[in-house]
Amino acid sequence: MTTRTIRARDRPVFGVDVHSGDVRGDDPSYALVILDPVDEDDPDAPDADGPMARITRDVVSFRKLCRLIDDREPLYVATDNAYELAADKGELVGFLRSLPDGTRLVQVTGAERPEPLSRVASRHGIPYGKEPMKEAEASARLAAANVGHEVTAFTDETRVKVSRGRSTGKGGWSQDRYTRRIHGNVRKRTRQVQSKLKEANLSFERDVTEKYGGYANATFTVEARPEDIPVSNSRAGDVRVEVERERRDGIEYEPLVKRRDRVIVGIDPGTTTAAAVVGLDGTVHALYSSRTSDTADVTEWIVEQGRPIIVAADVEPMPETVEKFRRSFDAAGWKPTTDLPVDEKLHRTREANYDNDHERDALAAALYAYDDHEDQFERIAAKTPPRLDREAVIAGVVAGGSSVEAVIESLNDDDGDGGDGGGSDDETDPTEPERTEEEETIRRLRERVDRLESHAESLEDDLDERDERIAELEGELEEAKREERIEARTRRAVSRLERETDRLERERDEARETVETLETKVETLKELWRLDHSNFDDVADDRGLVSVKVVEQFTLDAIETADEEYGLVAGDVVYLRDASGAGRRTAERLAETEPRAVIRDGNLSEVADQVLFDHDVPVLPADAVPVREVDELAVASEEAVVAALDDWERRAERRRKAEKQEHLDRIISEHRAGRTLPETEE
């Protein structure tokens, strides 16, 4: 482990290996190596030529190991097998949950199928021994060098739950107030947690259970690890806060450092620059497009995605901008024999999700380049020995232009030179003086400066061309804006006039409908007016109609209202729209107007019926005399009124006779009983 690697760690790294016993048995002990970072000016710092770390070795029990992890909070707990710390998957999940925030368990030998620790240590130049303490130290050094996979059972989402810290109890005199206080405190703490999450610019979702007086609980699902969340587990009074990471479906292994694979890049230059990255297996990795990014931004994005071995365009000849990207990455170029048609590009990218046509064109170029080299990739992979990196061989053949055998031999020579540094003397010209390491470094730097200066000049030319193009486009844009403003003003004026026309047409149609309605009413009112004036007899004779005055209800207020509106006089025909519910006073008030007849709709009370009968006011059923109404005015057939009056007279005569007979029977009965009626005494 180099000094630079150690300085990059500001927290200790633990290396662990089983010293004695077994994790499935009782009380296993562990060899523990702790790498503590040390500053150069620390008087206790080790030799500057060695690693800048203080190394502590110890043999501890599992309980003491967990206690040290809680106290020291190391960056990594490294081991060659994660199941040396847990007997099964359930215990491993429990161990991972117990780790402090920011501490990660690292398996330095790989993922589900780990390699021997000796092979991994040898590959990275780490000292190795078979003793548990040396294996623990090797694990710590490898993890400090970012070698290995993080063992995780949790996602990058964290659940923060705010809930009641005590039960609301079984009840009592102050139960409601007590419950309201607890729920109010939960709501208050929930708002504080939400405010802290917003201040930290964290994305989260909130789920609240509302209860009497506030919240029973609230759950925040935050897209961050617990160490990045400004809230921790706590319990105070009525409220408790629990912070817990979301579980995965199983145990997963994530590399500490993601390798940059070889890729194929398609580029579509123009006002909007787009790029697409495709793997050597044809998988679409990423898409990019921007109107504002320059060449440096696009280059930086491509570098983040991988190491290009092919840069492709969708047109022929290859645009100069794409050619510059190809040269900057020292990659092979690809272009179609003719410009790719749009329908073919749509068909080739039909399974991908892209945001615009520029991303589609860049992706189509990358995919067609992959299609063109797919057979070559398979042939190279078939010839590549298993121990060599297949992508490195493909890059050497495609981008370097070498044969498969030459690239494989070169990679084998590189592996062999790592031992004693021999093998290069035979290729050195004996007449050329041997360069020192500093001179060789200066030569390489000068060559690099020359390449960068050439690239800078090319970029300056591009800038000049871009400035000219920008000036031209700005002029066109200004002209387009002026025409757009004129067109917008015209559209607004036309729209305003159309709205005004629609409004006037609606008002015209409404006015015509109102006029037609009023004309009909005027004609009807003229007829009714003639019925109510001095020549009524002539009109009645001609038309056979009689005016009817409507009373809405058989109440004093309704009678007074009708009298005020159109007057109730002797000889009127009155129509009771609702004849029910009247008493003696109401019936007497109606009888005072001496109506010619009363048309009723509904049943009269016995009291009202008797009062009107005693005043000789005919009461006619509405079924016998149909009434035609126009707004507040009404008419009825004179013939129907006369017929109903004749019928009422016959019924009234029978009723009078019946009442007289009943009265005589009463007198006789009372006389026989020896009583005298009040009328007799008078």
Side-chain angles (χ1 to χ4, degrees), residues 87-156:
D88 52 34
K89 178 180 175 181
E91 289 188 9
L92 182 57
V93 172
F95 179 75
L96 292 172
R97 182 180 286 109
S98 68
L99 294 178
D101 296 340
T103 298
R104 291 185 279 179
L105 176 63
V106 177
Q107 183 169 290
V108 297
T109 52
E112 288 85 353
R113 297 181 179 179
E115 299 179 87
L117 179 59
S118 58
R119 183 184 304 172
V120 178
S122 175
R123 184 188 308 145
H124 293 87
I126 301 296
Y128 171 77
K130 292 185 177 181
E131 296 83 359
M133 194 64 68
K134 291 187 177 295
E135 288 193 348
E137 182 174 346
S139 298
R141 290 176 178 272
L142 287 168
N146 281 331
V147 176
H149 289 69
E150 177 188 359
V151 184
T152 177
F154 305 95
T155 67
D156 287 337

Side-chain angles (χ1 to χ4, degrees), residues 155-160 197 200-206 220-230 244-246:
T155 67
D156 287 337
E157 289 187 352
T158 304
R159 183 173 61 89
V160 181
L197 295 177
N201 292 324
L202 296 176
S203 177
F204 63 89
E205 294 181 357
R206 192 186 77 165
F220 296 87
T221 303
V222 188
E223 295 182 3
R225 291 173 175 256
E227 60 266 26
D228 300 326
I229 298 176
E244 185 178 11
R245 291 181 67 181
E246 293 289 341

